[in-house]
Amino acid sequence: MRVIVLTTSRLGTAGHHLPVIATAKGIEIVAVILSEGFVTNRSKRHWRNLKKIARIGVLGAFNGVRMRRWYGEALNSYCNIQSVEDTCRSLGIRFEKVPSTNSRQTQQLFKDLGADVAISLGNGYISPKVFTIPRHGMLNIHHEILPDYQNAQSIIWQLYNGSAETGYTIHKIDARIDTGDILLQEHVSIKFRDSLAETVTATLAEVFDRSAQGLKKLLENFHRYYDNARPQGTGKKYTTPSYRQYFTILQNFKRLRNINRIPE
């Protein structure tokens, strides 16, 4: 089976997962495509960001910036994730760059490569002009449980709702975000540490390891999972937490840590 990997991050999910799925039996990764994130409509993006700040407040936006490190720099360091370009070079996988995820260049590459399926590892919205090109469309890994946590940052919203469990979902990509049919899902216990930041990073590292193995298993048994995909049903969407929501997350974290923490 011929597979394309599409990502918008030089580090992160793609760099972590590639060494695992490259060992999948019967799978050829024909190319990894990195979107450089060129924004064609900056005014629309600024307006969207302003509306988000109005919704979550300035303090919520500040917390959002602070939390990025948990999911980015801290996670990459914790897992020793290499850049996707270096990973492709070491694995002998073709590496391509495009200006943006849904660009004409992306569409043309998809057509030229003739893959059976494409995998989204760390992207935002993907247009039907892209995801409908491969014979079996595109799959996405969402590092949360669907449909209950659509568009949600991993772990923090589970804590907000008083849960000590997170997980990942591999689903088909459709015209909306995180709403496609589910192929594979796994629940993972939250790994409680001294701080909320450490808890998020340590847990997400575990979820990354599990989802990489899950994706490998799915690709090796593709039609069994693909043919038995199930619709999500009604879901719930999340965004960056407001300051009040963040305070609830922090309080619930402390309470759940005292109950669930396992000595290292």
Short mmCIF file of all heavy atoms in Angstrom, two decimals, residues 59-107:
data_model
loop_
_atom_site.label_atom_id
_atom_site.label_comp_id
_atom_site.label_asym_id
_atom_site.label_seq_id
_atom_site.Cartn_x
_atom_site.Cartn_y
_atom_site.Cartn_z
N LEU A 59 -6.47 37.00 29.33
CA LEU A 59 -5.75 36.06 30.20
C LEU A 59 -5.82 34.64 29.65
O LEU A 59 -4.84 33.88 29.76
CB LEU A 59 -6.32 36.11 31.61
CG LEU A 59 -6.04 37.39 32.41
CD1 LEU A 59 -6.74 37.33 33.76
CD2 LEU A 59 -4.54 37.60 32.59
N GLY A 60 -6.94 34.30 29.04
CA GLY A 60 -7.04 32.99 28.40
C GLY A 60 -6.07 32.86 27.24
O GLY A 60 -5.42 31.82 27.08
N ALA A 61 -5.95 33.93 26.45
CA ALA A 61 -5.00 33.93 25.34
C ALA A 61 -3.57 33.81 25.85
O ALA A 61 -2.74 33.10 25.26
CB ALA A 61 -5.17 35.19 24.50
N PHE A 62 -3.27 34.50 26.95
CA PHE A 62 -1.93 34.41 27.55
C PHE A 62 -1.64 32.98 28.00
O PHE A 62 -0.54 32.45 27.76
CB PHE A 62 -1.83 35.36 28.74
CG PHE A 62 -0.55 35.22 29.52
CD1 PHE A 62 0.63 35.77 29.05
CD2 PHE A 62 -0.53 34.53 30.73
CE1 PHE A 62 1.83 35.62 29.77
CE2 PHE A 62 0.65 34.39 31.45
CZ PHE A 62 1.83 34.94 30.96
N ASN A 63 -2.61 32.34 28.64
CA ASN A 63 -2.42 30.95 29.05
C ASN A 63 -2.21 30.04 27.84
O ASN A 63 -1.44 29.08 27.89
CB ASN A 63 -3.63 30.46 29.85
CG ASN A 63 -3.50 30.79 31.32
OD1 ASN A 63 -2.40 30.87 31.85
ND2 ASN A 63 -4.62 30.98 31.99
N GLY A 64 -2.93 30.34 26.76
CA GLY A 64 -2.79 29.55 25.54
C GLY A 64 -1.37 29.59 25.00
O GLY A 64 -0.81 28.57 24.59
N VAL A 65 -0.77 30.79 25.03
CA VAL A 65 0.62 30.94 24.58
C VAL A 65 1.55 30.14 25.49
O VAL A 65 2.48 29.46 25.03
CB VAL A 65 1.02 32.43 24.54
CG1 VAL A 65 2.51 32.58 24.28
CG2 VAL A 65 0.21 33.17 23.48
N ARG A 66 1.31 30.22 26.79
CA ARG A 66 2.16 29.50 27.75
C ARG A 66 2.04 27.99 27.57
O ARG A 66 3.05 27.27 27.66
CB ARG A 66 1.75 29.89 29.18
CG ARG A 66 2.58 29.20 30.24
CD ARG A 66 2.24 29.70 31.62
NE ARG A 66 0.85 29.45 31.98
CZ ARG A 66 0.35 29.69 33.19
NH1 ARG A 66 1.11 30.21 34.12
NH2 ARG A 66 -0.92 29.45 33.45
N MET A 67 0.84 27.51 27.29
CA MET A 67 0.64 26.07 27.16
C MET A 67 1.24 25.50 25.89
O MET A 67 1.49 24.30 25.81
CB MET A 67 -0.86 25.74 27.21
CG MET A 67 -1.45 25.86 28.61
SD MET A 67 -3.15 25.22 28.70
CE MET A 67 -4.01 26.39 27.64
N ARG A 68 1.48 26.34 24.88
CA ARG A 68 2.06 25.83 23.64
C ARG A 68 3.36 25.08 23.88
O ARG A 68 3.67 24.11 23.20
CB ARG A 68 2.32 26.99 22.67
CG ARG A 68 1.08 27.52 21.98
CD ARG A 68 1.47 28.67 21.08
NE ARG A 68 0.30 29.44 20.69
CZ ARG A 68 0.37 30.62 20.10
NH1 ARG A 68 1.56 31.17 19.83
NH2 ARG A 68 -0.74 31.27 19.77
N ARG A 69 4.14 25.55 24.85
CA ARG A 69 5.42 24.90 25.13
C ARG A 69 5.22 23.47 25.60
O ARG A 69 6.03 22.59 25.29
CB ARG A 69 6.19 25.70 26.19
CG ARG A 69 7.59 25.16 26.41
CD ARG A 69 8.38 25.94 27.46
NE ARG A 69 9.71 25.39 27.59
CZ ARG A 69 10.00 24.30 28.28
NH1 ARG A 69 9.04 23.65 28.94
NH2 ARG A 69 11.25 23.85 28.34
N TRP A 70 4.15 23.20 26.35
CA TRP A 70 3.89 21.86 26.84
C TRP A 70 3.73 20.88 25.68
O TRP A 70 4.16 19.73 25.76
CB TRP A 70 2.63 21.81 27.69
CG TRP A 70 2.55 22.81 28.80
CD1 TRP A 70 3.54 23.63 29.25
CD2 TRP A 70 1.40 23.08 29.60
NE1 TRP A 70 3.08 24.40 30.29
CE2 TRP A 70 1.77 24.10 30.53
CE3 TRP A 70 0.10 22.58 29.63
CZ2 TRP A 70 0.88 24.62 31.47
CZ3 TRP A 70 -0.79 23.09 30.57
CH2 TRP A 70 -0.41 24.09 31.48
N TYR A 71 3.05 21.35 24.63
CA TYR A 71 2.73 20.51 23.48
C TYR A 71 3.79 20.58 22.39
O TYR A 71 3.72 19.82 21.42
CB TYR A 71 1.38 20.93 22.89
CG TYR A 71 0.22 20.77 23.84
CD1 TYR A 71 -0.22 21.84 24.62
CD2 TYR A 71 -0.45 19.56 23.96
CE1 TYR A 71 -1.28 21.70 25.50
CE2 TYR A 71 -1.52 19.40 24.83
CZ TYR A 71 -1.94 20.48 25.60
OH TYR A 71 -2.99 20.33 26.46
N GLY A 72 4.74 21.50 22.54
CA GLY A 72 5.74 21.71 21.52
C GLY A 72 7.14 21.43 22.01
O GLY A 72 7.60 20.27 22.04
N GLU A 73 7.82 22.47 22.44
CA GLU A 73 9.23 22.36 22.83
C GLU A 73 9.45 21.32 23.92
O GLU A 73 10.38 20.49 23.83
CB GLU A 73 9.73 23.73 23.30
CG GLU A 73 11.18 23.76 23.73
CD GLU A 73 11.59 25.12 24.27
OE1 GLU A 73 10.84 26.10 24.07
OE2 GLU A 73 12.65 25.20 24.92
N ALA A 74 8.63 21.33 24.97
CA ALA A 74 8.82 20.39 26.08
C ALA A 74 8.60 18.95 25.61
O ALA A 74 9.35 18.05 25.98
CB ALA A 74 7.87 20.73 27.22
N LEU A 75 7.57 18.73 24.81
CA LEU A 75 7.28 17.38 24.32
C LEU A 75 8.38 16.88 23.39
O LEU A 75 8.81 15.73 23.49
CB LEU A 75 5.93 17.37 23.59
CG LEU A 75 5.52 16.03 22.97
CD1 LEU A 75 5.28 14.99 24.05
CD2 LEU A 75 4.27 16.20 22.11
N ASN A 76 8.83 17.75 22.49
CA ASN A 76 9.89 17.36 21.56
C ASN A 76 11.15 16.95 22.31
O ASN A 76 11.84 15.99 21.95
CB ASN A 76 10.19 18.50 20.59
CG ASN A 76 9.03 18.79 19.65
OD1 ASN A 76 8.23 17.90 19.36
ND2 ASN A 76 8.93 20.02 19.19
N SER A 77 11.48 17.71 23.36
CA SER A 77 12.65 17.40 24.16
C SER A 77 12.45 16.10 24.94
O SER A 77 13.35 15.25 25.01
CB SER A 77 12.95 18.55 25.12
OG SER A 77 14.04 18.25 25.95
N TYR A 78 11.27 15.93 25.52
CA TYR A 78 10.96 14.75 26.32
C TYR A 78 11.08 13.47 25.48
O TYR A 78 11.60 12.45 25.95
CB TYR A 78 9.53 14.88 26.86
CG TYR A 78 9.13 13.88 27.92
CD1 TYR A 78 9.20 14.21 29.27
CD2 TYR A 78 8.67 12.62 27.57
CE1 TYR A 78 8.81 13.29 30.24
CE2 TYR A 78 8.29 11.70 28.53
CZ TYR A 78 8.36 12.04 29.86
OH TYR A 78 7.98 11.13 30.83
N CYS A 79 10.61 13.53 24.24
CA CYS A 79 10.60 12.36 23.36
C CYS A 79 11.81 12.31 22.44
O CYS A 79 11.94 11.36 21.64
CB CYS A 79 9.34 12.37 22.49
SG CYS A 79 7.80 12.23 23.41
N ASN A 80 12.68 13.33 22.51
CA ASN A 80 13.84 13.41 21.63
C ASN A 80 13.43 13.32 20.16
O ASN A 80 14.00 12.53 19.37
CB ASN A 80 14.86 12.32 21.97
CG ASN A 80 16.20 12.55 21.30
OD1 ASN A 80 16.60 13.68 21.03
ND2 ASN A 80 16.91 11.47 21.00
N ILE A 81 12.44 14.10 19.78
CA ILE A 81 11.91 14.07 18.42
C ILE A 81 12.85 14.85 17.49
O ILE A 81 13.23 15.98 17.78
CB ILE A 81 10.50 14.67 18.36
CG1 ILE A 81 9.54 13.83 19.23
CG2 ILE A 81 9.99 14.73 16.92
CD1 ILE A 81 8.14 14.40 19.35
N GLN A 82 13.20 14.23 16.38
CA GLN A 82 14.04 14.86 15.38
C GLN A 82 13.17 15.56 14.33
O GLN A 82 11.99 15.27 14.20
CB GLN A 82 14.93 13.81 14.70
CG GLN A 82 15.76 12.98 15.66
CD GLN A 82 16.70 13.83 16.51
OE1 GLN A 82 17.46 14.64 15.97
NE2 GLN A 82 16.65 13.65 17.82
N SER A 83 13.78 16.45 13.56
CA SER A 83 13.01 17.14 12.52
C SER A 83 12.54 16.13 11.49
O SER A 83 13.20 15.12 11.22
CB SER A 83 13.86 18.21 11.84
OG SER A 83 14.77 17.64 10.93
N VAL A 84 11.40 16.42 10.88
CA VAL A 84 10.82 15.50 9.90
C VAL A 84 11.73 15.37 8.68
O VAL A 84 11.85 14.29 8.08
CB VAL A 84 9.40 15.95 9.51
CG1 VAL A 84 9.41 17.28 8.76
CG2 VAL A 84 8.70 14.89 8.67
N GLU A 85 12.43 16.44 8.32
CA GLU A 85 13.35 16.39 7.19
C GLU A 85 14.52 15.45 7.48
O GLU A 85 14.90 14.62 6.64
CB GLU A 85 13.85 17.79 6.85
CG GLU A 85 14.65 17.86 5.57
CD GLU A 85 14.90 19.28 5.11
OE1 GLU A 85 14.48 20.23 5.82
OE2 GLU A 85 15.52 19.44 4.04
N ASP A 86 15.11 15.57 8.67
CA ASP A 86 16.21 14.69 9.05
C ASP A 86 15.76 13.24 9.14
O ASP A 86 16.49 12.30 8.77
CB ASP A 86 16.82 15.13 10.38
CG ASP A 86 17.60 16.43 10.28
OD1 ASP A 86 17.95 16.83 9.15
OD2 ASP A 86 17.84 17.05 11.34
N THR A 87 14.55 13.05 9.66
CA THR A 87 14.00 11.70 9.78
C THR A 87 13.82 11.06 8.41
O THR A 87 14.17 9.89 8.20
CB THR A 87 12.67 11.73 10.54
OG1 THR A 87 12.86 12.32 11.83
CG2 THR A 87 12.12 10.32 10.72
N CYS A 88 13.29 11.83 7.46
CA CYS A 88 13.12 11.31 6.09
C CYS A 88 14.47 10.96 5.48
O CYS A 88 14.61 9.93 4.80
CB CYS A 88 12.40 12.34 5.23
SG CYS A 88 10.64 12.49 5.58
N ARG A 89 15.45 11.81 5.71
CA ARG A 89 16.78 11.55 5.15
C ARG A 89 17.35 10.25 5.70
O ARG A 89 17.92 9.44 4.96
CB ARG A 89 17.70 12.73 5.47
CG ARG A 89 19.07 12.65 4.77
CD ARG A 89 19.94 13.84 5.12
NE ARG A 89 19.34 15.09 4.66
CZ ARG A 89 18.88 16.06 5.46
NH1 ARG A 89 18.95 15.91 6.78
NH2 ARG A 89 18.36 17.15 4.96
N SER A 90 17.21 10.04 7.01
CA SER A 90 17.77 8.83 7.62
C SER A 90 17.02 7.58 7.19
O SER A 90 17.60 6.48 7.14
CB SER A 90 17.75 8.95 9.14
OG SER A 90 16.42 8.97 9.63
N LEU A 91 15.73 7.72 6.86
CA LEU A 91 14.92 6.57 6.46
C LEU A 91 14.88 6.36 4.95
O LEU A 91 14.30 5.39 4.47
CB LEU A 91 13.49 6.72 6.99
CG LEU A 91 13.31 6.70 8.52
CD1 LEU A 91 11.90 7.06 8.90
CD2 LEU A 91 13.68 5.33 9.08
N GLY A 92 15.46 7.31 4.21
CA GLY A 92 15.43 7.21 2.75
C GLY A 92 14.07 7.46 2.14
O GLY A 92 13.71 6.87 1.11
N ILE A 93 13.28 8.35 2.77
CA ILE A 93 11.93 8.67 2.29
C ILE A 93 11.97 10.00 1.55
O ILE A 93 12.59 10.97 2.00
CB ILE A 93 10.94 8.75 3.47
CG1 ILE A 93 10.84 7.39 4.17
CG2 ILE A 93 9.56 9.20 2.99
CD1 ILE A 93 10.02 7.43 5.46
N ARG A 94 11.29 10.07 0.43
CA ARG A 94 11.20 11.31 -0.34
C ARG A 94 10.57 12.41 0.51
O ARG A 94 9.56 12.19 1.18
CB ARG A 94 10.37 11.07 -1.60
CG ARG A 94 10.14 12.31 -2.47
CD ARG A 94 9.36 11.94 -3.71
NE ARG A 94 9.00 13.13 -4.49
CZ ARG A 94 8.30 13.10 -5.63
NH1 ARG A 94 7.91 11.92 -6.12
NH2 ARG A 94 8.00 14.22 -6.26
N PHE A 95 11.18 13.60 0.46
CA PHE A 95 10.71 14.73 1.26
C PHE A 95 10.42 15.91 0.34
O PHE A 95 11.25 16.27 -0.49
CB PHE A 95 11.77 15.13 2.29
CG PHE A 95 11.41 16.33 3.13
CD1 PHE A 95 10.49 16.23 4.15
CD2 PHE A 95 11.98 17.57 2.87
CE1 PHE A 95 10.16 17.33 4.92
CE2 PHE A 95 11.67 18.68 3.62
CZ PHE A 95 10.75 18.56 4.66
N GLU A 96 9.24 16.49 0.48
CA GLU A 96 8.83 17.62 -0.35
C GLU A 96 8.28 18.74 0.54
O GLU A 96 7.73 18.48 1.62
CB GLU A 96 7.72 17.21 -1.34
CG GLU A 96 8.14 16.15 -2.34
CD GLU A 96 9.00 16.69 -3.47
OE1 GLU A 96 9.13 17.94 -3.57
OE2 GLU A 96 9.54 15.88 -4.24
N LYS A 97 8.42 19.97 0.07
CA LYS A 97 7.86 21.13 0.77
C LYS A 97 6.87 21.84 -0.15
O LYS A 97 7.11 21.95 -1.36
CB LYS A 97 8.96 22.09 1.21
CG LYS A 97 9.80 21.57 2.35
CD LYS A 97 10.74 22.62 2.91
CE LYS A 97 11.93 22.86 2.01
NZ LYS A 97 12.96 23.72 2.65
N VAL A 98 5.77 22.30 0.45
CA VAL A 98 4.77 23.08 -0.28
C VAL A 98 4.48 24.34 0.52
O VAL A 98 4.69 24.37 1.73
CB VAL A 98 3.47 22.27 -0.50
CG1 VAL A 98 3.70 21.09 -1.42
CG2 VAL A 98 2.90 21.79 0.84
N PRO A 99 4.01 25.40 -0.12
CA PRO A 99 3.79 26.65 0.61
C PRO A 99 2.68 26.58 1.65
O PRO A 99 2.78 27.20 2.72
CB PRO A 99 3.45 27.66 -0.49
CG PRO A 99 2.99 26.84 -1.65
CD PRO A 99 3.78 25.57 -1.57
N SER A 100 1.62 25.83 1.37
CA SER A 100 0.51 25.72 2.32
C SER A 100 -0.20 24.39 2.14
O SER A 100 -0.08 23.74 1.09
CB SER A 100 -0.48 26.88 2.16
OG SER A 100 -1.04 26.89 0.87
N THR A 101 -0.95 24.00 3.14
CA THR A 101 -1.58 22.68 3.16
C THR A 101 -2.46 22.42 1.97
O THR A 101 -2.42 21.34 1.36
CB THR A 101 -2.39 22.52 4.46
OG1 THR A 101 -1.53 22.71 5.58
CG2 THR A 101 -3.03 21.14 4.54
N ASN A 102 -3.28 23.39 1.61
CA ASN A 102 -4.28 23.19 0.55
C ASN A 102 -3.89 23.84 -0.78
O ASN A 102 -4.75 24.07 -1.62
CB ASN A 102 -5.63 23.72 1.03
CG ASN A 102 -6.10 23.03 2.30
OD1 ASN A 102 -6.19 21.81 2.35
ND2 ASN A 102 -6.37 23.80 3.35
N SER A 103 -2.61 24.10 -0.96
CA SER A 103 -2.14 24.79 -2.17
C SER A 103 -2.27 23.92 -3.41
O SER A 103 -2.42 22.69 -3.34
CB SER A 103 -0.69 25.21 -1.99
OG SER A 103 0.14 24.05 -1.90
N ARG A 104 -2.16 24.56 -4.56
CA ARG A 104 -2.17 23.81 -5.82
C ARG A 104 -0.99 22.85 -5.89
O ARG A 104 -1.09 21.76 -6.47
CB ARG A 104 -2.13 24.78 -7.00
CG ARG A 104 -3.41 25.60 -7.17
CD ARG A 104 -3.31 26.54 -8.35
NE ARG A 104 -4.51 27.35 -8.51
CZ ARG A 104 -4.66 28.29 -9.43
NH1 ARG A 104 -3.67 28.56 -10.28
NH2 ARG A 104 -5.79 28.97 -9.52
N GLN A 105 0.13 23.27 -5.31
CA GLN A 105 1.31 22.39 -5.30
C GLN A 105 1.04 21.11 -4.52
O GLN A 105 1.46 20.02 -4.93
CB GLN A 105 2.51 23.13 -4.69
CG GLN A 105 3.02 24.28 -5.54
CD GLN A 105 2.39 25.61 -5.17
OE1 GLN A 105 1.20 25.66 -4.77
NE2 GLN A 105 3.15 26.68 -5.26
N THR A 106 0.32 21.23 -3.38
CA THR A 106 -0.04 20.05 -2.61
C THR A 106 -0.94 19.13 -3.43
O THR A 106 -0.73 17.91 -3.50
CB THR A 106 -0.76 20.44 -1.31
OG1 THR A 106 0.03 21.38 -0.58
CG2 THR A 106 -1.01 19.21 -0.43
N GLN A 107 -1.94 19.72 -4.05
CA GLN A 107 -2.87 18.94 -4.87
C GLN A 107 -2.14 18.21 -6.00
O GLN A 107 -2.40 17.02 -6.26
CB GLN A 107 -3.95 19.85 -5.44
CG GLN A 107 -4.84 20.49 -4.37
CD GLN A 107 -5.75 21.56 -4.95
OE1 GLN A 107 -6.36 21.37 -6.00
NE2 GLN A 107 -5.85 22.70 -4.27
#
